[in-house]
Amino acid sequence: MPDPITLTINGTQVSCAPGTLVIEAAKQNGIEIPAFCYYEGFSLQAACRMCLVEVEKMPKLQPGCTLPAAEGMVVHTESPKVVEARKSTLEFLLTNHPLDCPVCDKGGECELQDMVFRYGAGESRFTEIKHHVDEKQWSPAVYYDGSRCILCYRCVRVCDEGIGVTALGLSFRGVSAQIVPNRGDHLECDECGWCIDVCPVGALTSGTYRYQSRPWEMNHVGTVCTHCSDGCKTTLSVRNGQVLRANNRDRSGVNGEFLCVKGRFGFDFVHHKERLQSPLLRKNGQLQPVSWSEALSAVAAKFSEVKARNGQFGVIGSTRTTNEENYLLQKFVREGLGSKNIDHHRTGDVVTLLDALKGRTGALATVNDLYTAKAALVLGADLSQQHPLLAYQLRANSRHHRSATYLVTPGPVREEQFATKALRSNPGEELNLLPQLSDDLKQHASLTVLYNAAIKGDAVRQLVAFCDSLGIEVKYLPLVDYSNSRGALDMGLLPDLAPGYQPLRNPGLNAAQILSSPDLDVLWVVGANPLKSASLAGEKAFVVVQDLFLTETAQRADVVFPAASAYEKSGTVTNTTGEVQRLKHGPKVMGTKSDLDIIALLARQLNIDLGPTTPDRIFEQIRKTVHGYNVALPVVATGGAAPTTPVNGGVPVAVNPSLISPSGDTLFTSGTLGRYSKMLAKVMEAPGQLFKA
Amino acid sequence: MTFSPELEARFAKMIGNYPPGRQKGALIPMLLYAQDEVGSMTPDLIQEVSRRLKVTPLEIEEVIGYYTMLAREPRGKHHIQVCTNVSCQARGGEELFAHACSRLGLHNKEKSADGQFSIEEVECMGACSWAPAIQVNYDFYYDMTPEKFDKLIDSLRQMQ
Amino acid sequence: MNQPTLLRPPHPLEVRVLTRRFEYPRTEPVWLDEYLRTEGYQALRKALDLTPEALVDEVKKSCLRGRGGAGFPTGMKWSFVDRKSPKPKYIVVNADEGEPGTCKDRILMGFDPHRLIEGCLIAGRAIGSNRGWIYIRGEYRVYIDIMDRAIEEAYANGYLGDNVLGTGWSFHLSTHTGAGSYECGEETALLESLEGKRGNPRLKPPFPAVSGAFQCPTVVNNVETYSAVPDIILKGGEWYAGLGTPRNGGTRLVGLSGHLNTPGVYEVPLGMNLLTIVNELGGGVWKGRKLKAIIPGGSSSPVLKADECDIPADYDSFAKAGTMLGSGATVVLDDQTDMVRVLARLMSFYAHESCGWCIPCREGTAWLKKITQRLDSGVGASKDIDLIDQISNSMMGRTFCPLGDAAAMPAMAIARKFRDEIEAKIQSTQAFVPAPGTRPLVVL
Ligand SMILES: Cc1cc2nc3c(=O)[nH]c(=O)nc-3n(C[C@H](O)[C@H](O)[C@H](O)COP(=O)(O)O)c2cc1C
Ligand code: SF4
Ligand code: FES
């Protein structure tokens, strides 16, 4: 650490690291210098001139956003001269601003409004005609009102530097200067909508939220995105039980302000008109709405009957339900039904990794590690398409810290923009190319390795052996695909492993075996859609499905329970890096119940005692009993991400690679769930094509 | 899209004028010289330049919006630019512009129906000591008067 | 070449250094043969035998100051370049000549193109550069063609290329065209434009000498500045400095325009009295009228009223008089000039040319344009004059680049110095405005 420097701000001596900008030095000491164009972490513009401060011995006011603090500097941030300058800058801004606050989405959370409120400029001396341009729709998700735009270039920078898409630019000049989209009159981009969120005014508005509500009429609920496994926190803004908007306005969680299109706009499946709102029971070959008690009794009756005659159960759990639900489900199946036949759709090989690491828990990377790692190696994955947050972290790391990134992928990926080396391999043959990189990799003190489902079974062991041979510190990040894929593994939704990867002596049937077993008596599917891609061999099987929609699997069911989505319940989920975060329920969909409640109600009908069945109490139990989950409760309770430390159960396991298959999702798809998001369907102009030109 | 051999030769030389990997430097000259041949910033032209210099169409749009000489629509065969900035204003530039407009029956930035003439009021073009000055395409005409202007238009018409 | 008799017959008061090859009448440039016959490239030969340090020192001694507008000492600027930097170093010629009233660089390029090339070569030698660009405004296609041809001649005869005059030193030079933007004359905006981007200025520091064209150390100078260099090297810095006044070395081109009998571009030593320039070289105010005002250094320089003009024309004296020498463009206005109209025209220029990057300039210039045009069309009140002053004050020193100041300075100067005239115009057209003391609700 270089020696700190000392300067005086508003009469107080403060110290900061050399090179700190005055605006940051002030902020660190609780002094806010107002700014529009300055945006932490992005390139400097010095365009808005709001941050001008008075520095003694300098004749002109200086922009605090670009001026590095210097030893002995004397800065005034609220002197009469500074306040006057701010006021006049605001007056300038308002000259061509439409002042349509009453109908502007941003009203109430607009930085321009706040600044004018604080610094005056309420009375304008401008009596001329304002410059006007019409509002434009750039995409289903993004609208631009050039008249409101104050040209702070935040949107341009987050798109270019943050996401690497560069879909926004600046055209024309003078008062006519405008933000323009990359395809003439429309946008072709990731549709992440970050530009909308960073806009300090109402120039960029969202296709889902515009003209829906005033910000103060909504409740803002911080929960975790239910789409991919990166585990971004998202704040749902809810009014009258309806989600109207999603963003991460408090910048908490592993993702800070980042969200992809699914996190920001993909919440609308919640209110899709095809949501199941009543239990269904097959009568005369037809699924018919029935009461909860009728449906529960039918299932309980069947379960007792099959259990009594030692019949065959097959249970397929979910990759989107909470840890508590998964835990309770396997407990129900193993203890209550006495069955071992439980599995889920596996999308990555964590099991072999834990085995190969032989208890080295420190070798598991977190999301934050990707931002601080000196070097990263990506095997197989198209991160921008499948793990947008992880891609964002690597990009930010490269931009802020010049970290190195190595890629071995089957196709072109966007990370090549900043990669140190990018190799192309045949799918599944990524490991063969590793020797070509070993000299480069050895240069770095530490390395984080990300691998997807292309590397599974023995290949994972080979990977670990290769990394061990480098003689440097290596951390691993096994990629899985769905929001709680990791939790499903950790909670033992596996025929051969109990929660915490404890091996079971006599494994049960796996998912493929369940589906192909002709003797199956009961198939119980919780939040999954296995029959979309496979058929059910057990013709006589009684099928029970818990889901949001009448999926392909639900259509074959005898009983369907309408389940609540992750946005409608409490509990915890674990992301692909093994970090546990808390879900908070935001909206409410009439007629649905959480999977936890459904399982608990069934247990009660069957007189099975599963112990406590509230999310909090179950999480307590998980923390106490599941290996690696003894995480700090306050971290989770306050909305943080707590890393878990899983290890294998001490007995080598052999993973059957054919049971692992990737979800195949892109930036704009999200399994069955994604099909019910109208916004995702609308924005799919050219998914994935943008960077292959 | 193809250009004349002369233009191709110019482009080939131009690209070599910028450091390796920084061929984007040639963007503005390339657009302007190509416009002289093609007439305006057509979608084809943008695509072609984008391909050759490896810049995105958005980067080209940013530039076209900024520079006043880059035209989205073709101008007249004789694009008449009348300066009315201070030095020319002092010596009758504004009157000359008004005269030119009425003589051609055009408003600022309009083009005649036959495509022969277009007119534009421009900022200082560095001919202040010989004011008022006009430019027809790239040719300067100095110390203009309404009479000289009329003669010029006549002779330009003759050229057709 | 389309530059019929731009030159005036030499005036006895002129001191001809830069223009010494311009006999009258001349329409053709001095091509290489003639250039060589008249000491051409002698300075380069001399420079090739001197060390870079000696070259920079010579230029420092000459007291040459930038002729592009800011008047920064040229030798000092060159000395900021770190010759030991592993990066390539670049020479950039600012031939954007956009400042209204300015028309001198075209004369130098149009009649003596090799002088500029030789200046670039010497500057390149002084900072250890192997490449330069001449950034010429797009409207000057004629001069681009002349420079291109002269550059070709220089390449063909070993003055430019991989092996300059057999010394093994390489220097490459080419023209680069702008495409219509005054702001691209600002040196960092020019560099952006050179890199193929919008002419938005860059954050300073780093200054171009540290990180300029393509992020490499770069010297940006005006055409006239480079053109002065060959004679400085040939005849010595002290000789050149002796032509002007202390700290204001040499001669400079003055572009006389406006209400004069003999407007034109003349070469005068620094420090010649402004009225002498106007009355002698410019032949006095035309049509027997009286002088009202002079815009003495390009449109951005604050206007001088007739009674303020009896001062030496050099950087320091002009600064003392509250104005600036700028680009040497001198616009003379007679007593019948409508200053409101002049003001309105200037403000519409700055609003048109503001790049739009920063708020005070983007919104300030547009606002000033609207107010002054309204006043010009006869709709206004005297508090509008105060408003012009206040808006200009809110722009001064607060914009990202000096264009904001360039617009604010003349606005403030005219509003203050010609307040009576503006008031009179407002009064004369009171019929068009609502009852006194009220303000129209909507002003078209
Ligand atoms: C808005 C603006 C326009 C300018 N236009 C020109 C110009 O057209 N030509 C020029 O040589 N310098 C111009 N300058 C000055 C340049 O920024 C720079 O100071 C000059 O090129 C340096 O060269 P010099 O030291 O030889 O004067 C302009 C400056 C500003 C702020
Ligand atoms: S759209 Fe918004 S964020 Fe983008 S530049 Fe304009 S005001 Fe700033
Ligand atoms: S925050 Fe400094 S100029 Fe905008």
Side-chain angles (χ1 to χ4, degrees), chain A residues 144 149-156 179 195 198-201 203-204:
Chain A
Y144 177 68
C149 177
I150 62 170
L151 292 166
C152 64
Y153 320 114
R154 287 187 195 174
C155 51
V156 176
I179 306 297
C195 51
V198 295
C199 183
V201 296
L204 287 165

Side-chain angles (χ1 to χ4, degrees), chain A residues 131-153:
Chain A
H131 178 81
H132 173 81
V133 278
D134 288 338
E135 191 188 34
K136 299 176 187 80
Q137 180 175 10
W138 282 346
S139 83
V142 186
Y143 287 69
Y144 177 68
D145 185 339
S147 296
R148 290 181 187 158
C149 177
I150 62 170
L151 292 166
C152 64
Y153 320 114

